[in-house]
Amino acid sequence: MCWAGPIWSRRGSSLTSPRRRCTGSRGLRETWLPALACGLAFAAAQFAASNFVSAQLADIAAALAGAAALVAVPSAREPAREEVRVAVLTGVRSEDLDEEDPRREVLRAYAPYALIVVIFSIAQIPPVKDLLAKATQVFDWPFLDVSDEDGKPVGANVFSLPLVATGGTLVLLAGLFTAGVLGVRAADAAREWAATVRELRYAILTVTSVLALAYVMNLSGQAATIGHFVAAAGAGLAFLSPILGWFGVAVTGSDTSANALFGALQVTAARESGLSPELLAAANSSGGVLGKMISPQNLAIACAAVGLAGKEGDLLRKVLPWSLGLLLVMCLIVVGQSTAVLGWMLP
C-alpha cells in the first residue's frame, strides 16, 4: 500500500515536499478485512439484484451494499496513522475533515442513489413495465433488407426504440427528480448536463461507432464467419473467451461495446465447438470488466478525479499487472466451468 503526494508535517500545518510512503505488508494487513467485507457484500447484492430485482440495478445496489459493509467494519472507520495522512486534493489536514456531517446533508448526499433505486424498482412492476413499453416505437430500418439462409428477413431489420422503458430514460428521470430534491436550479442543471455531454463527447462517439460496427459485422455475417474460425480452438476456446472481452473493453472502454462487438462471435463459436453459449457470453462480459481498469477513458477519468491529470501512463503501469493477473484467474475459472470441475455453477 503506497501513498504519493504532499504529506503534512508533524510540526506544523504546512505541506512538506512530495514524498512517497509505502506500508507494504502492514498496509495489506490493515485493509484485507474491509476489502473482503466490501467484496462479499458487493457480490451478494449484485447477484440478488440481477436475478431477482432488476439487471439495471445490479451495480448500483452492489455499490451501496459495498459502502454499507465498509461502514459496518470497525477497522475501516479508524483514522489513518499520522505518518500517512495526505492532502492531495483539498489542501487541508485529514483531522480537519474528520467531523460529523449533519444528518440532513447525509440524506441529501444519498438522495440520487435512493431515487435511482426507487425509479428502477417501480419500472420493473409488471403493470408499470407494460405501460412504459407502450411508448416503444418499432419500425423497419430504411434501406436495410437482410435475409437469413432460408430467405426470411432477420429480426435486426426492425429497429426498436424504447422511449421510456430504457435505462437511459429512467436515469434521466431520476436526475430530474434529484435536481428538485437538492434544490438545483433548472438553468444550473441544464448547464451541468451540457458540460457532461461535452466532456464525454469522444467517449460517446467511440461507443456509438463500435455499436455501429457490431451491427455491420453481425448482419453481414462477419461475426459468424470469425466465430466458425475461432471455434477451431475447441476446448481451448473457454480459456480464450475472457481475453476477447478484455481486449474489447481495453480498446473501447465500454463493456457494452465489447459485448455487442464480440457477443455474437462468442455464441457462434461456442455452438460450433460444443461449449455453452451462455458461458462464453458471460465470459466475454466478465473478461471485459477486468479490461475496464486499463482502458484509456477510465484511466483519464480516474486521474482527473484525484488531480493527477497527465499521469495516466504511471497509473497504467501500476494496474496492468493486476489486470493481467485477474484475467488469468478468470480464464481458469471459465475453463473449470466448461468442465465437470465447476460445471455445477452453470444454470
Side-chain angles (χ1 to χ4, degrees):
M1 300 293 293
C2 302
W3 288 263
I7 307 296
W8 284 102
S9 169
R10 295 176 65 91
R11 291 190 294 264
S13 60
S14 61
L15 287 171
T16 65
S17 59
R19 293 175 291 177
R20 182 178 177 84
R21 298 294 181 90
C22 297
T23 62
S25 59
R26 186 184 69 186
L28 184 61
R29 291 195 303 270
E30 292 176 350
T31 57
W32 76 266
L33 182 58
L36 180 62
C38 180
L40 291 176
F42 188 98
Q46 190 175 62
F47 176 83
S50 61
N51 284 277
F52 306 111
V53 184
S54 170
Q56 292 91 337
L57 286 176
D59 287 339
I60 296 174
L64 292 175
L70 284 177
V71 173
V73 177
S75 59
R77 301 196 302 270
E78 294 177 0
R81 291 187 173 87
E82 182 71 21
E83 65 267 18
V84 297
R85 291 186 176 177
V86 299
V88 177
L89 296 176
T90 61
V92 295
R93 289 178 294 186
S94 60
E95 57 263 29
D96 295 335
L97 299 176
D98 291 339
E99 54 184 47
E100 187 174 354
D101 296 313
R103 184 174 297 275
R104 174 183 173 84
E105 294 301 317
V106 173
L107 294 176
R108 282 164 55 90
Y110 279 102
Y113 306 100
L115 286 170
I116 290 177
V117 173
V118 170
I119 290 175
F120 273 89
S121 299
I122 293 176
Q124 296 305 309
I125 299 175
V128 178
K129 190 174 183 179
D130 295 338
L131 180 63
L132 298 180
K134 292 181 179 180
T136 300
Q137 301 294 317
V138 180
F139 54 89
D140 291 329
W141 193 258
F143 310 110
L144 186 62
D145 185 17
V146 181
S147 302
D148 58 18
E149 60 272 14
D150 298 326
K152 298 180 180 179
V154 299
N157 289 339
V158 178
F159 184 75
S160 179
L161 180 62
L163 297 175
V164 182
T166 183
T169 303
L170 295 177
V171 169
L172 178 61
L173 182 62
L176 295 176
F177 279 109
T178 298
V181 171
L182 299 183
V184 180
R185 295 186 302 176
D188 294 335
R191 191 180 304 111
E192 288 299 323
W193 181 83
T196 301
V197 172
R198 184 180 185 280
E199 182 179 355
L200 297 177
R201 61 189 184 279
Y202 295 119
I204 294 172
L205 177 62
T206 300
V207 171
T208 53
S209 298
V210 172
L211 290 174
L213 176 62
Y215 272 99
V216 172
M217 291 184 64
N218 291 335
L219 288 177
S220 65
Q222 295 180 59
T225 301
I226 298 174
H228 284 285
F229 174 78
V230 173
L237 181 60
F239 184 86
L240 298 175
S241 184
I243 299 177
L244 280 177
W246 178 87
F247 178 78
V249 176
V251 172
T252 66
S254 168
D255 210 354
T256 301
S257 299
N259 289 336
L261 190 60
F262 295 128
L265 184 155
Q266 298 265 25
V267 171
T268 301
R271 288 172 177 165
E272 291 295 320
S273 59
L275 297 172
S276 168
E278 292 81 6
L279 173 61
L280 295 200
N284 188 84
S285 182
S286 300
V289 172
L290 301 177
K292 196 83 169 176
M293 65 180 76
I294 63 170
S295 66
Q297 294 95 324
N298 287 279
L299 290 173
I301 292 173
C303 288
V306 296
L308 295 176
K311 299 293 184 180
E312 291 82 2
D314 296 337
L315 181 59
L316 175 62
R317 285 191 292 271
K318 291 292 184 183
V319 301
L320 182 58
W322 291 98
S323 179
L324 292 174
L326 291 171
L327 177 62
L328 176 60
V329 173
M330 178 57 63
C331 291
L332 295 176
I333 291 176
V334 174
V335 170
Q337 290 176 326
S338 67
T339 65
V341 177
L342 296 177
W344 53 268
M345 298 178 66
L346 301 180

